[in-house]
Amino acid sequence: MTSDAPVLYDVSNSVATITLNRPKALNSLTTEARVELLDALRRAASDESARVVVLTGEGRGFCVGQDLREHAEQLASGGSGSTLSTVAEHYNPIAREIARMPKPVVARLNGVTAGAGLSIAMLADFRVAVESATFTTAFAGIGLSCDTGASWSLQRLVGPAHARELLFDATPIKADRALELGLVNTVVADDQLDATVDALVARLAAGPTAAYAAMREALMFASTHSLDESLDFEEPRMVATGATEDHSRAVTSFLAKEKPTFEGR
Protein backbone atom coordinates (compact mmCIF):
# COMPACT_ATOMS: atom_id res chain seq x y z
CA MET A 1 0.00 0.00 0.00
CA THR A 2 1.08 3.56 -0.56
CA SER A 3 1.84 5.87 2.33
CA ASP A 4 -1.41 7.80 1.80
CA ALA A 5 -3.55 4.68 2.05
CA PRO A 6 -6.04 4.77 4.96
CA VAL A 7 -4.62 1.51 6.36
CA LEU A 8 -0.98 0.42 6.23
CA TYR A 9 0.37 -3.11 6.57
CA ASP A 10 3.95 -3.98 7.42
CA VAL A 11 5.78 -7.07 8.70
CA SER A 12 9.11 -6.83 10.50
CA ASN A 13 10.74 -9.27 12.93
CA SER A 14 7.69 -11.56 12.74
CA VAL A 15 5.37 -8.72 13.79
CA ALA A 16 2.56 -7.57 11.48
CA THR A 17 1.71 -3.94 12.17
CA ILE A 18 -1.63 -2.63 10.95
CA THR A 19 -1.71 1.17 11.10
CA LEU A 20 -4.83 3.28 10.69
CA ASN A 21 -3.51 6.13 8.58
CA ARG A 22 -5.91 9.07 8.61
CA PRO A 23 -4.18 11.20 11.26
CA LYS A 24 -5.91 14.47 10.34
CA ALA A 25 -9.25 12.80 11.09
CA LEU A 26 -7.96 10.97 14.19
CA ASN A 27 -8.05 7.78 12.13
CA SER A 28 -11.81 7.76 11.83
CA LEU A 29 -13.14 4.96 9.68
CA THR A 30 -14.50 5.79 6.24
CA THR A 31 -15.96 3.05 4.08
CA GLU A 32 -12.59 2.72 2.33
CA ALA A 33 -10.76 2.49 5.64
CA ARG A 34 -13.12 -0.17 6.97
CA VAL A 35 -12.70 -2.29 3.86
CA GLU A 36 -8.91 -1.96 3.98
CA LEU A 37 -8.78 -2.69 7.71
CA LEU A 38 -10.74 -5.89 7.19
CA ASP A 39 -8.45 -6.87 4.32
CA ALA A 40 -5.37 -6.17 6.46
CA LEU A 41 -6.69 -8.30 9.32
CA ARG A 42 -7.39 -11.18 6.98
CA ARG A 43 -3.93 -10.79 5.49
CA ALA A 44 -2.35 -10.88 8.95
CA ALA A 45 -4.29 -14.01 9.90
CA SER A 46 -2.92 -15.94 6.91
CA ASP A 47 0.56 -14.35 6.82
CA GLU A 48 2.99 -17.10 7.83
CA SER A 49 5.75 -14.54 8.36
CA ALA A 50 3.72 -12.84 11.11
CA ARG A 51 3.57 -14.34 14.61
CA VAL A 52 2.06 -11.30 16.38
CA VAL A 53 -0.28 -8.53 15.20
CA VAL A 54 -0.09 -4.91 16.36
CA LEU A 55 -3.00 -2.53 15.80
CA THR A 56 -2.19 1.17 16.03
CA GLY A 57 -2.95 4.60 14.62
CA GLU A 58 -0.90 7.32 12.99
CA GLY A 59 -0.64 10.71 14.68
CA ARG A 60 -2.26 11.70 17.96
CA GLY A 61 -5.14 9.25 17.91
CA PHE A 62 -5.64 5.52 17.78
CA CYS A 63 -9.12 5.60 16.25
CA VAL A 64 -12.31 7.52 16.93
CA GLY A 65 -14.58 5.05 15.17
CA GLN A 66 -16.98 5.90 12.36
CA ASP A 67 -16.13 8.91 10.19
CA LEU A 68 -19.12 11.09 11.04
CA ARG A 69 -18.62 13.45 8.09
CA GLU A 70 -19.09 10.61 5.64
CA HIS A 71 -21.91 9.24 7.79
CA ALA A 72 -23.72 12.60 7.81
CA GLU A 73 -23.40 12.91 4.03
CA GLN A 74 -24.89 9.45 3.56
CA LEU A 75 -27.75 10.21 5.95
CA ALA A 76 -28.44 13.50 4.13
CA SER A 77 -28.69 11.64 0.85
CA GLY A 78 -31.37 9.40 2.32
CA GLY A 79 -29.16 6.39 2.78
CA SER A 80 -29.74 5.68 6.46
CA GLY A 81 -30.52 2.01 5.85
CA SER A 82 -27.45 1.37 3.72
CA THR A 83 -25.32 3.52 6.02
CA LEU A 84 -26.17 1.51 9.10
CA SER A 85 -25.77 -1.75 7.18
CA THR A 86 -22.05 -1.15 7.60
CA VAL A 87 -22.34 -2.93 10.97
CA ALA A 88 -23.11 -6.19 9.19
CA GLU A 89 -20.84 -5.51 6.21
CA HIS A 90 -17.79 -4.12 7.98
CA TYR A 91 -17.78 -3.80 11.77
CA ASN A 92 -18.99 -7.31 12.60
CA PRO A 93 -16.47 -8.96 10.23
CA ILE A 94 -13.69 -6.75 11.66
CA ALA A 95 -14.61 -7.82 15.20
CA ARG A 96 -14.69 -11.47 14.21
CA GLU A 97 -11.31 -11.29 12.47
CA ILE A 98 -9.66 -9.82 15.56
CA ALA A 99 -11.36 -12.25 17.94
CA ARG A 100 -10.47 -15.27 15.81
CA MET A 101 -6.95 -14.17 14.91
CA PRO A 102 -4.70 -17.27 15.22
CA LYS A 103 -1.94 -15.24 16.86
CA PRO A 104 -1.67 -12.66 19.65
CA VAL A 105 -3.04 -9.17 19.03
CA VAL A 106 -1.64 -6.06 20.72
CA ALA A 107 -3.42 -2.69 20.59
CA ARG A 108 -0.86 0.15 20.65
CA LEU A 109 -3.03 3.01 21.89
CA ASN A 110 -1.18 6.17 20.97
CA GLY A 111 -3.94 8.64 21.73
CA VAL A 112 -7.70 9.24 21.71
CA THR A 113 -9.64 5.98 21.42
CA ALA A 114 -13.39 6.20 20.90
CA GLY A 115 -16.46 4.46 19.57
CA ALA A 116 -15.69 1.54 17.29
CA GLY A 117 -12.02 2.38 17.80
CA LEU A 118 -12.38 1.46 21.46
CA SER A 119 -14.39 -1.61 20.50
CA ILE A 120 -11.56 -2.74 18.22
CA ALA A 121 -8.97 -2.19 20.95
CA MET A 122 -11.00 -4.16 23.50
CA LEU A 123 -10.86 -7.26 21.31
CA ALA A 124 -7.05 -7.31 21.41
CA ASP A 125 -5.19 -9.51 23.88
CA PHE A 126 -3.14 -6.61 25.24
CA ARG A 127 -3.82 -2.87 25.32
CA VAL A 128 -0.84 -0.58 25.92
CA ALA A 129 -1.80 3.08 26.22
CA VAL A 130 0.04 6.36 26.57
CA GLU A 131 -0.64 8.59 29.57
CA SER A 132 -2.19 11.25 27.34
CA ALA A 133 -4.74 8.87 25.82
CA THR A 134 -8.45 9.27 26.48
CA PHE A 135 -11.21 6.70 26.10
CA THR A 136 -14.93 6.91 25.42
CA THR A 137 -17.51 4.52 24.08
CA ALA A 138 -19.05 7.60 22.33
CA PHE A 139 -22.14 5.80 21.02
CA ALA A 140 -24.64 7.42 23.42
CA GLY A 141 -23.36 10.84 22.42
CA ILE A 142 -24.76 10.37 18.93
CA GLY A 143 -27.85 8.40 19.87
CA LEU A 144 -26.65 4.98 18.81
CA SER A 145 -26.36 1.60 20.43
CA CYS A 146 -22.94 -0.09 20.53
CA ASP A 147 -21.18 -2.16 17.88
CA THR A 148 -18.00 -4.04 16.97
CA GLY A 149 -18.47 -6.31 19.96
CA ALA A 150 -18.51 -3.61 22.64
CA SER A 151 -21.49 -5.20 24.42
CA TRP A 152 -19.52 -8.46 24.66
CA SER A 153 -15.99 -7.27 25.43
CA LEU A 154 -16.57 -4.22 27.64
CA GLN A 155 -18.39 -5.98 30.47
CA ARG A 156 -15.83 -8.79 30.41
CA LEU A 157 -13.04 -6.26 30.94
CA VAL A 158 -14.59 -3.91 33.48
CA GLY A 159 -17.66 -5.76 34.81
CA PRO A 160 -21.36 -5.17 34.07
CA ALA A 161 -21.79 -2.12 36.32
CA HIS A 162 -18.87 -0.17 34.87
CA ALA A 163 -19.81 -1.31 31.36
CA ARG A 164 -23.22 0.33 31.73
CA GLU A 165 -21.61 3.45 33.15
CA LEU A 166 -19.15 3.74 30.26
CA LEU A 167 -21.79 3.02 27.61
CA PHE A 168 -24.52 5.30 28.97
CA ASP A 169 -22.15 8.18 29.74
CA ALA A 170 -20.04 9.15 26.73
CA THR A 171 -17.77 11.40 28.79
CA PRO A 172 -14.12 10.55 27.99
CA ILE A 173 -12.00 9.04 30.74
CA LYS A 174 -8.25 9.40 31.14
CA ALA A 175 -5.70 6.62 30.83
CA ASP A 176 -5.16 6.23 34.59
CA ARG A 177 -8.89 5.64 35.09
CA ALA A 178 -8.93 3.19 32.18
CA LEU A 179 -6.11 1.28 33.85
CA GLU A 180 -7.91 1.29 37.19
CA LEU A 181 -11.04 -0.15 35.56
CA GLY A 182 -9.11 -2.82 33.67
CA LEU A 183 -9.92 -1.31 30.28
CA VAL A 184 -6.22 -1.30 29.40
CA ASN A 185 -3.34 -3.50 30.55
CA THR A 186 -0.56 -0.93 30.75
CA VAL A 187 -0.17 2.84 30.74
CA VAL A 188 3.21 4.34 29.91
CA ALA A 189 4.72 7.76 29.36
CA ASP A 190 4.16 8.92 25.80
CA ASP A 191 7.84 8.62 24.95
CA GLN A 192 7.95 5.04 26.26
CA LEU A 193 5.20 3.61 24.07
CA ASP A 194 7.42 2.25 21.31
CA ALA A 195 9.90 0.65 23.69
CA THR A 196 7.14 -0.95 25.77
CA VAL A 197 5.21 -2.33 22.80
CA ASP A 198 8.40 -3.49 21.07
CA ALA A 199 9.46 -5.45 24.16
CA LEU A 200 6.02 -7.02 24.54
CA VAL A 201 5.67 -8.10 20.92
CA ALA A 202 9.23 -9.42 20.85
CA ARG A 203 8.37 -11.73 23.75
CA LEU A 204 5.16 -12.85 22.09
CA ALA A 205 6.78 -13.38 18.70
CA ALA A 206 9.40 -15.59 20.34
CA GLY A 207 6.77 -17.57 22.20
CA PRO A 208 4.71 -20.69 21.40
CA THR A 209 2.33 -19.09 18.93
CA ALA A 210 0.53 -22.37 18.19
CA ALA A 211 -0.27 -22.60 21.89
CA TYR A 212 -1.30 -18.93 21.95
CA ALA A 213 -3.79 -19.61 19.15
CA ALA A 214 -5.29 -22.52 21.08
CA MET A 215 -5.47 -20.41 24.24
CA ARG A 216 -7.32 -17.66 22.36
CA GLU A 217 -9.86 -20.20 21.09
CA ALA A 218 -10.31 -21.74 24.54
CA LEU A 219 -10.81 -18.38 26.25
CA MET A 220 -13.33 -17.28 23.63
CA PHE A 221 -15.28 -20.52 23.98
CA ALA A 222 -15.19 -20.59 27.78
CA SER A 223 -16.54 -17.05 28.05
CA THR A 224 -19.97 -18.26 26.96
CA HIS A 225 -19.98 -21.95 27.98
CA SER A 226 -20.11 -24.05 31.12
CA LEU A 227 -17.13 -25.59 32.89
CA ASP A 228 -17.95 -29.06 31.55
CA GLU A 229 -18.23 -27.75 28.00
CA SER A 230 -15.01 -25.80 28.40
CA LEU A 231 -13.17 -28.87 29.70
CA ASP A 232 -14.30 -30.79 26.62
CA PHE A 233 -13.17 -27.92 24.39
CA GLU A 234 -9.75 -27.71 26.06
CA GLU A 235 -8.93 -31.41 25.73
CA PRO A 236 -8.35 -31.69 21.95
CA ARG A 237 -6.34 -28.45 21.99
CA MET A 238 -4.05 -29.84 24.66
CA VAL A 239 -3.65 -32.99 22.58
CA ALA A 240 -2.90 -30.94 19.45
CA THR A 241 -0.38 -28.62 21.12
CA GLY A 242 1.16 -31.59 22.90
CA ALA A 243 2.00 -33.02 19.50
CA THR A 244 3.83 -29.89 18.30
CA GLU A 245 7.54 -29.52 17.79
CA ASP A 246 7.40 -26.52 20.14
CA HIS A 247 6.19 -28.67 23.01
CA SER A 248 8.70 -31.45 22.42
CA ARG A 249 11.56 -29.00 22.12
CA ALA A 250 10.46 -27.07 25.22
CA VAL A 251 10.35 -30.23 27.36
CA THR A 252 13.82 -31.22 26.18
CA SER A 253 15.09 -27.72 26.93
CA PHE A 254 13.50 -27.77 30.37
CA LEU A 255 15.21 -31.02 31.27
CA ALA A 256 18.51 -29.66 29.98
CA LYS A 257 17.92 -26.42 31.95
CA GLU A 258 18.05 -24.42 28.72
CA LYS A 259 15.78 -21.72 27.37
CA PRO A 260 13.40 -23.18 24.76
CA THR A 261 13.14 -21.90 21.22
CA PHE A 262 9.67 -21.81 19.70
CA GLU A 263 8.82 -21.79 16.02
CA GLY A 264 5.03 -21.86 16.15
CA ARG A 265 4.65 -25.46 15.01
Side-chain angles (χ1 to χ4, degrees):
M1 295 181 182
T2 60
S3 61
D4 60 349
V7 178
L8 306 177
Y9 184 90
D10 175 73
V11 179
S12 179
N13 298 320
S14 300
V15 179
T17 301
I18 298 173
T19 305
L20 301 174
N21 189 40
R22 302 186 68 238
K24 293 182 180 179
L26 293 175
N27 300 314
S28 59
L29 298 170
T30 59
T31 300
E32 181 185 14
R34 296 192 297 275
V35 170
E36 291 199 7
L37 174 57
L38 183 57
D39 287 346
L41 289 166
R42 288 171 173 165
R43 180 178 175 184
S46 62
D47 193 338
E48 294 183 358
S49 67
R51 290 163 61 84
V52 181
V53 179
V54 173
L55 302 176
T56 192
E58 186 65 32
R60 62 189 182 88
F62 172 70
C63 176
V64 293
Q66 175 76 28
D67 184 294
L68 291 182
R69 290 185 182 277
E70 180 187 77
H71 184 66
E73 291 171 359
Q74 292 170 335
L75 287 175
S77 66
S80 60
S82 61
T83 298
L84 296 179
S85 70
T86 189
V87 171
E89 293 175 6
H90 302 130
Y91 289 113
N92 286 352
I94 285 169
R96 290 188 175 102
E97 284 297 325
I98 299 171
R100 296 171 182 171
M101 185 69 63
K103 52 201 76 175
V105 180
V106 176
R108 177 187 178 275
L109 305 177
N110 52 300
V112 57
T113 303
L118 178 57
S119 301
I120 287 169
M122 290 190 296
L123 290 168
D125 298 295
F126 300 90
R127 285 160 298 283
V128 182
V130 293
E131 290 176 335
S132 62
T134 58
F135 302 86
T136 173
T137 56
F139 299 107
I142 53 173
L144 286 177
S145 180
C146 49
D147 63 23
T148 323
S151 63
W152 185 90
S153 58
L154 183 58
Q155 61 183 319
R156 284 168 170 77
L157 291 174
V158 305
H162 287 308
R164 284 171 171 76
E165 177 185 350
L166 292 173
L167 282 171
F168 294 178
D169 183 355
T171 303
I173 63 171
K174 295 182 178 180
D176 57 350
R177 178 58 174 162
L179 180 63
E180 179 184 344
L181 290 172
L183 193 59
V184 298
N185 298 84
T186 307
V187 173
V188 298
D190 289 31
D191 62 359
Q192 293 298 308
L193 181 61
D194 285 340
T196 303
V197 172
D198 288 350
L200 172 60
V201 298
R203 291 195 302 273
L204 292 171
T209 48
Y212 292 156
M215 290 174 185
R216 292 189 102 236
E217 290 179 346
L219 287 167
M220 184 69 65
F221 183 89
S223 67
T224 55
H225 291 80
S226 69
L227 173 59
D228 283 340
E229 291 170 320
S230 299
L231 290 170
D232 290 340
F233 192 84
E234 286 178 347
E235 187 269 336
R237 283 152 186 81
M238 279 296 289
V239 172
T241 54
T244 61
E245 294 178 22
D246 277 355
H247 173 64
S248 178
R249 189 181 300 111
V251 171
T252 300
S253 297
F254 176 82
L255 294 175
K257 298 183 179 179
E258 297 173 348
K259 185 176 180 179
T261 299
F262 298 108
E263 296 182 0
R265 59 177 186 270

